[in-house]
Amino acid sequence: MSKVLSAVAWPYANGPRHIGHVAGFGVPSDVFSRYMRMAGHDVLMVSGSDEHGTPILIAAAEAGVTPQELADRNHRIIAEDLASLGLTYDLYTRTSARNHHQVVQQMFLGVYENGYFVEQTTYGAISPSTGRTLPDRYIEGTCPICGYDGARGDQCDNCGNQLDPQDLIDPRSKINGETPEFIETQHFFLDLPALADALKEWLDGREATGLWRPNVIRFSQNILEEIRPRAMTRDIDWGIAVPLDGWRENPTKKLYVWFDAVIGYLSASIEWARRIGEPERWREWWNEPDALSYYFMGKDNITFHSQIWPAELLAYSGKGTKGGTPGELGELNLPTEVVSSEFLTMEGRKFSSSKRVVIYVRDLLSRYQPDAFRYFVASAGPESQDSDFTWSEFVRRTNDELVAGWGNLVNRTANLIAKNFGEIPKAGELAAADQTLLDHTEAAFGVVGDLIGRHRQKQAIGEAMRAVAEVNKYVSDTEPWKIKDDPERLGTVLHVVAQCVADLNLVLSPFLPFAANEVDRAFGGAGDVAPMPRIEEVDDLDGGAPYPIITGEYSGFPAWERRPIVPGTPVAKPTPIFTKLDPGVVDEELARLEG
């Protein structure tokens, strides 16, 4: 058994999240975490709402509320939506929690004391019309390196290089199009050049494993070529205070939101340990060298997870050219793998809340089954290349694959057993075809599990659905509804199919957890093969205001292996597991999108 940290990207709390967001970080991380628990690993899955930074200030001003009020509202919405998708967080928390502030400041001081922060005078972007600081990502222009018109003030997505807003050619505010003013200001910069050798050694070692997705490792290595110090403080009055005399008291100097957000993986682990009454337990995932850690996100966040966060970890541990010693947190583990997804578009267009090219998670789940969406992401999502969500494809995959494939197999098997026996029948002597099918579905555990463990979820669910097709073919070939005069043979065939359904239900459960429980109930089980998360209202551990978290009890996951079915288990006439969608859904949803 390994300690496995499933570190899931922190959704930004300036508004509800749409399906493009959760396709990149949410569903893939949960499929992986569910499988790893079933495979016997000790998984800690953590994340939370990212609530600091200028975009929160802007959104709060537009809504006529305080930043904290906006963060409170959106944190609750996001947490409820992620729980409704069945994402099994051990802890989903928030960056405004006081525990998070304390851990971030502890990390800052460790990096500072090891000499990896340098104070520099730089230029900050100001909105001429409001006087408010403009965040890097709210400034765009032409990249001075590759000439791409659409580069952001923090990086160019075309060539992957880090940028500063003043480097852009013809910079402009994404908020109102005005040209920002640049004024001199003091900031702390993370000395990335002093950590470049250590970063390269780590990335080269990761490349040698052959496990990272090629696009992620190449991008990560390429951005090392232009590495330079990067500002880790901002001129802003919303965020975490800089824990140094002369800075702490300044209400307009805060830590950079991306410095504090990535530390959330660590602070959430510490909060989880404190909440279960074992305050040092987090160290099993962070200090033990054999522990594994997987970071799930969209490709626009690779820089922060393959460079900035590892640099912070190396600096805190004193692993750069300036040396140093770890603080009280100890030597912290670097990521085992950065699991980045590409982008999901919608009907051929980029998601855009402002342009209403969007469907929010809550709206989707109000009309469709969560497993229908989870299935779409697993089978057609942006795993290794951009993919497009279309309503016609969503309906097709739901009806032709989920309903007609897996759902049909489950329902007709349960119907035949209920009609002929009323319980799981015993198996008589197995024919060659019976044993071949049983061997095939049992082998699916190894094939599908290996693919999920290597983050090849499209292939994994493809293999699972091929096994479903084999069982459906067996049913069609044996035609149990025509076996009238040989009850032993009929019982054997239906026993074999029921065992295969039970096998494939476990194999599919990381992808389709809601359906897995329904299938288990349909065959006389308790409906608890796929544990679910829950929302819990908690007090801030350090005296702040209460807030909702996602957590759960996940010790009940079944093992990733065949569980023999029990003859005599009652089976009643089932109801359909999946809802077949009317083709008119496509026109309805397209009309909503255009309206």
Side-chain angles (χ1 to χ4, degrees):
M1 180 180 72
S2 298
K3 299 290 182 181
V4 175
L5 176 70
S6 190
V8 190
W10 289 57
Y12 199 56
N14 62 332
R17 298 298 86 187
H18 58 63
I19 63 172
H21 294 128
V22 295
F25 71 81
V27 175
S29 63
D30 187 60
V31 170
F32 175 78
S33 298
R34 285 177 176 274
Y35 160 70
M36 294 299 277
R37 291 186 182 109
M38 295 175 76
H41 300 290
D42 195 354
V43 174
L44 179 61
M45 180 174 170
V46 293
S47 185
S49 297
D50 180 3
E51 300 176 341
H52 297 133
T54 304
I56 295 287
L57 288 173
I58 294 169
E62 291 174 349
V65 297
T66 67
Q68 188 65 63
E69 288 171 336
L70 181 83
D72 289 345
R73 182 177 69 198
N74 288 330
H75 168 68
R76 183 175 296 276
I77 291 172
I78 294 168
E80 290 173 352
D81 288 352
L82 298 181
S84 295
L85 264 177
L87 308 188
T88 50
Y89 294 101
D90 290 278
L91 179 66
Y92 181 90
T93 181
R94 61 192 308 188
T95 59
S96 60
R98 291 189 180 181
N99 171 82
H100 176 72
H101 282 230
Q102 293 167 5
V103 175
V104 169
Q105 291 177 329
Q106 191 174 3
M107 281 288 294
F108 178 92
L109 289 173
V111 174
Y112 176 81
E113 289 163 3
N114 281 339
Y116 294 98
F117 274 124
V118 291
E119 191 174 348
Q120 293 182 3
T121 300
T122 185
Y123 288 92
I126 302 295
S127 166
S129 61
T130 67
R132 176 176 286 160
T133 301
L134 283 171
D136 297 348
R137 288 195 165 202
Y138 273 62
I139 303 170
E140 63 183 7
T142 301
C143 177
I145 298 171
C146 71
Y148 173 66
D149 184 20
R152 299 194 309 264
D154 60 347
Q155 71 180 47
C156 175
D157 286 337
N158 186 57
C159 65
N161 283 293
Q162 293 181 51
L163 300 172
D164 288 322
Q166 65 269 25
D167 296 334
L168 295 172
I169 300 169
D170 297 325
R172 57 193 176 274
S173 167
K174 293 178 67 175
I175 299 171
N176 56 20
E178 65 186 1
T179 301
E181 295 178 1
F182 293 99
I183 61 171
E184 285 193 349
T185 183
Q186 290 291 113
H187 285 297
F188 280 106
F189 282 68
L190 182 61
D191 192 355
L192 290 171
L195 298 157
D197 290 344
L199 283 169
K200 184 179 186 305
E201 181 181 354
W202 168 67
L203 283 171
D204 288 348
R206 294 293 86 208
E207 182 185 30
T209 67
L211 297 176
W212 282 36
R213 292 173 179 169
N215 59 317
V216 180
I217 194 68
R218 283 197 302 268
F219 182 91
S220 303
Q221 290 171 324
N222 287 341
I223 59 178
L224 274 178
E225 297 176 6
E226 298 291 333
I227 200 166
R228 56 184 175 174
R230 186 156 187 169
M232 290 293 145
T233 52
R234 287 292 187 270
D235 294 300
I236 186 175
D237 58 3
W238 172 246
I240 299 177
V242 182
L244 293 173
D245 292 340
W247 288 75
R248 183 186 292 104
E249 299 79 14
N250 189 335
T252 64
K253 293 285 187 183
K254 303 294 182 184
L255 292 171
Y256 179 32
V257 63
W258 266 109
F259 177 81
D260 96 68
V262 290
I263 297 173
Y265 303 116
L266 174 60
S267 69
S269 303
I270 293 172
E271 181 182 343
W272 167 80
R274 294 177 67 191
R275 289 198 178 279
I276 66 168
E278 300 179 51
E280 297 298 307
R281 180 89 184 279
W282 63 273
R283 294 186 183 276
E284 296 175 16
W285 286 267
W286 286 92
N287 293 152
E288 293 184 7
D290 293 337
L292 305 172
S293 56
Y294 300 88
Y295 290 74
F296 295 85
M297 77 220 62
K299 67 179 177 181
D300 54 335
N301 291 336
I302 295 175
T303 298
F304 300 100
H305 293 83
S306 68
Q307 185 179 97
I308 302 301
W309 178 226
E312 292 178 29
L313 293 167
L314 289 165
Y316 183 85
S317 298
K319 296 292 186 178
T321 58
K322 296 180 177 180
T325 56
E328 291 182 5
L329 298 171
E331 187 170 326
L332 300 167
N333 291 334
L334 293 168
T336 302
E337 185 171 353
V338 173
V339 187
S340 169
S341 297
E342 300 294 294
F343 288 148
L344 184 72
T345 54
M346 185 173 184
E347 298 291 345
R349 293 180 282 175
K350 290 179 65 174
F351 278 94
S352 171
S353 299
S354 62
K355 297 177 181 177
R356 299 179 64 86
V357 182
V358 68
I359 179 167
Y360 295 107
V361 173
R362 177 157 299 195
D363 293 335
L364 182 107
L365 296 183
S366 71
R367 299 195 286 276
Y368 307 104
Q369 293 175 294
D371 279 351
F373 175 68
R374 289 175 65 111
Y375 180 79
F376 182 93
V377 172
S379 60
E383 180 176 280
S384 56
Q385 62 183 19
D386 293 350
S387 65
D388 192 34
F389 178 91
T390 67
W391 286 109
S392 59
E393 184 67 0
F394 177 70
V395 169
R396 186 195 70 77
R397 286 187 179 272
T398 299
N399 290 347
D400 296 354
E401 297 175 14
L402 273 187
V403 176
W406 178 230
N408 179 54
L409 174 61
V410 169
N411 283 317
R412 68 175 173 172
T413 302
N415 264 318
L416 285 165
I417 292 174
K419 179 181 177 181
N420 290 282
F421 297 95
E423 60 185 33
I424 300 289
K426 294 180 181 179
E429 185 176 350
L430 297 180
D434 305 336
Q435 190 61 57
T436 296
L437 186 70
L438 287 168
D439 292 345
H440 184 73
T441 57
E442 187 169 26
F445 285 101
V447 174
V448 174
D450 175 68
L451 289 166
I452 296 175
R454 293 188 292 116
H455 309 291
R456 309 296 194 268
Q457 293 186 11
K458 276 189 178 182
Q459 288 178 260
I461 201 163
E463 290 293 336
M465 293 304 285
R466 273 189 281 278
V468 168
E470 287 293 322
V471 183
N472 269 319
K473 182 178 183 300
Y474 171 88
V475 175
S476 297
D477 291 345
T478 56
E479 298 181 313
W481 51 88
K482 291 185 178 180
I483 303 175
K484 303 296 186 182
D485 302 321
D486 191 347
E488 181 177 336
R489 179 59 187 158
L490 176 60
T492 299
V493 168
L494 293 181
H495 181 98
V496 167
V497 178
Q499 182 64 66
C500 292
V501 168
D503 290 344
L504 295 178
N505 192 43
L506 290 181
V507 167
L508 284 165
S509 65
F511 302 100
L512 310 173
F514 296 91
N517 289 335
E518 291 301 315
V519 172
D520 188 58
R521 291 188 190 98
F523 287 86
D528 57 2
V529 297
M532 288 294 173
R534 68 177 185 271
I535 296 286
E536 190 175 299
E537 300 288 331
V538 298
D539 291 329
D540 189 295
L541 292 171
D542 300 293
Y547 54 91
I549 62 170
I550 304 175
T551 187
E553 171 51 57
Y554 307 127
S555 61
F557 273 98
W560 187 255
E561 61 188 13
R562 167 171 285 168
R563 296 203 304 183
I565 57 175
V566 180
T569 302
V571 176
K573 184 177 179 179
T575 56
I577 301 297
F578 300 107
T579 302
K580 186 174 182 179
L581 301 179
D582 189 291
V585 160
V586 177
D587 291 335
E588 291 173 10
E589 292 294 353
L590 290 176
R592 282 193 182 97
L593 184 62
E594 295 305 321

